[in-house]
Amino acid sequence: MTTLRYVWLACLGAFIISTATAARRPTTVVSDVCSTSFTDGPFETRDAYRQRVRDPNKHISARLVRYLTFGGILQAIAEKTNLPRDGLVAGGASQFQDQHSGLGRTVHAAHIIRVGTIDKRLGRQDSALHTALTNYIGHTQNVLRAANAWHGVGGAIDRFQSDNLDALGRIDFNAPFDRDQRIAVEQLTERFRDVISAYVRDGTHEESDRQILDEDKMIVNCMLPLMLFEEGKAGYDLVTSGDFVAHYGRTSRKR
């Protein structure tokens, strides 16, 4: 009886995981600001390039930089469509994903931006912007499981990104970088640093994992508020120039 119960629980767990994964809408694989070009590196095929495993340091640091870029993108979309900026996306589990790692359980296809649903009104009002935003959010990088496990730093950063959408939405990336903007960026950055510091200090991780996060904490500490604000401004300009839709608005699944 006990054996049957364990089998049932295992099947139930597999079903839940499978259902959660299947619920994610597949998005187009698009080259990304956080990605290099196919010609960079010793990759014989596009599949090998697409499935390359990233440096955990660069992946985790990119999640802060890209978050500010994302803030600028959301601001510009809100201004362009007259939709509320604070409701364009909701926090929560990822709804979109461009690919799976293709390299087994030790490597995860990890989102750089982890948010939930997109306001349905955007799709009705501007389908091209909706497609571009969907592809942008769905972008993943292959990283070692240790850098993306839910009970590790990856999950903590996921929660940070969902929980701080309101704070991100209060930064005006089309305004001068004045005292108010600097304070807002600094506060957001400090919260991100606290996430990494807590993971390093909790004492449950292998020395190699702690070393990765220690190095990454140093990288994040070197990011000045003005630099991060400019990343947000770049995201804003990406939308207003039309380049956001031109690049991320593709619907073909070809790689």
Side-chain angles (χ1 to χ4, degrees):
M1 187 68 179
T2 301
T3 302
L4 288 175
R5 184 175 64 182
Y6 285 143
V7 170
W8 180 83
L9 288 173
C11 291
L12 178 62
F15 172 77
I16 292 171
I17 292 171
S18 175
T19 302
T21 302
R24 290 179 180 171
R25 174 180 155 191
T27 60
T28 304
V29 179
V30 181
S31 61
D32 187 83
V33 292
C34 293
S35 303
T36 54
S37 67
F38 171 61
T39 55
D40 292 339
F43 305 107
E44 295 182 1
T45 66
R46 286 192 175 274
D47 280 344
Y49 163 76
R50 181 173 53 83
Q51 294 174 353
R52 69 201 185 282
V53 179
R54 312 302 180 88
D55 181 338
N57 289 350
K58 294 179 180 178
H59 170 75
I60 294 171
S61 301
R63 295 197 65 178
L64 173 61
V65 175
R66 185 182 176 91
Y67 195 58
L68 274 294
T69 306
F70 184 59
I73 288 170
L74 293 181
Q75 179 182 346
I77 291 175
E79 292 177 2
K80 183 178 177 65
T81 61
N82 290 319
L83 292 172
R85 180 179 176 183
D86 60 0
L88 271 178
V89 296
S94 301
Q95 302 295 307
F96 313 104
Q97 185 165 339
D98 60 356
Q99 63 183 344
H100 299 289
S101 75
L103 297 174
R105 294 185 177 182
T106 60
V107 177
H108 284 185
H111 288 85
I112 303 179
I113 291 295
R114 189 268 207 175
V115 292
T117 56
I118 299 173
D119 190 332
K120 292 181 179 179
R121 290 175 294 178
L122 178 61
R124 294 193 294 267
Q125 186 165 330
D126 194 320
S127 60
L129 269 177
H130 183 272
T131 298
L133 185 60
T134 299
N135 288 338
Y136 191 83
I137 292 172
H139 178 68
T140 60
Q141 291 182 341
N142 277 1
V143 296
L144 294 176
R145 182 180 181 277
N148 191 49
W150 172 254
H151 294 291
V153 71
I157 295 174
D158 287 348
R159 293 189 292 273
F160 165 86
Q161 291 185 335
S162 282
D163 293 346
N164 285 280
L165 286 170
D166 287 344
L168 183 66
R170 288 193 289 270
I171 303 172
D172 185 353
F173 293 105
N174 195 36
F177 185 64
D178 58 17
R179 180 177 179 275
D180 290 340
Q181 307 299 338
R182 178 177 57 79
I183 291 174
V185 173
E186 285 177 344
Q187 289 175 341
L188 206 58
T189 306
E190 282 301 319
R191 293 173 196 168
F192 188 88
R193 289 171 179 161
D194 289 344
V195 168
I196 297 178
S197 295
Y199 180 82
V200 173
R201 290 196 307 262
D202 75 359
T204 64
H205 306 286
E206 298 292 335
E207 178 61 31
S208 58
D209 291 342
R210 286 198 301 272
Q211 185 176 355
I212 287 173
L213 270 298
D214 273 329
E215 292 172 358
D216 198 71
K217 185 169 66 173
M218 291 175 61
I219 294 172
V220 172
N221 286 342
C222 290
M223 294 179 179
L224 298 177
L226 177 58
M227 169 206 156
L228 292 170
F229 181 82
E230 288 174 343
E231 292 292 337
K233 172 63 174 172
Y236 182 92
D237 292 342
L238 192 66
V239 174
T240 58
S241 68
D243 290 341
F244 183 64
V245 166
H247 185 74
Y248 290 98
R250 286 177 278 171
T251 57
S252 171
R253 293 286 293 168
K254 292 181 180 179
R255 298 174 175 86

